[in-house]
């Protein structure tokens, strides 16, 4: 069976995109890396983290995972 988890290599391209997102949206590199990784596989980021929500399109807003 294939794992439901998609592992993504941290490439130079993703690191550069992460930096660009952090600067453009005034969020941390740590928070930006989730967005850049989601972009790299053309996926939406599902997040309850308010730092991601409302600042970047493509972030699916949720209140709770429970």
């Amino acid at each position: 069976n294939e794992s439901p988890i998609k592992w993504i290599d941290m490439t130079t391209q993703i690191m550069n995109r992460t930096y660009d997102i952090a600067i453009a949206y005034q969020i941390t590199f740590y928070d930006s890396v989730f967005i850049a990784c989601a972009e790299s596989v053309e996926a939406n980021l599902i997040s309850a983290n308010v730092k991601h929500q409302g600042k970047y399109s493509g972030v699916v807003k949720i209140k709770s995972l429970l």
Side-chain angles (χ1 to χ4, degrees):
N1 291 334
E2 188 175 322
S3 171
I5 298 171
K6 172 112 177 133
W7 298 101
I8 301 169
D9 292 325
M10 184 56 68
T11 64
T12 301
Q13 182 179 0
I14 292 174
M15 288 177 34
N16 288 335
R17 181 64 183 139
T18 298
Y19 177 80
D20 291 343
I21 292 167
I23 296 301
Y25 295 93
Q26 297 296 296
I27 57 178
T28 66
F29 188 91
Y30 176 84
D31 289 321
S32 300
V33 77
F34 296 102
I35 297 169
C37 286
E39 272 188 1
S40 75
V41 295
E42 298 179 355
N44 287 326
L45 174 62
I46 299 172
S47 177
N49 185 334
V50 295
K51 292 179 185 177
H52 300 144
Q53 297 174 357
K55 289 193 175 188
Y56 194 82
S57 64
V59 176
V60 176
K61 301 171 187 177
I62 59 171
K63 291 183 180 181
S64 174
L65 294 174
L66 302 176

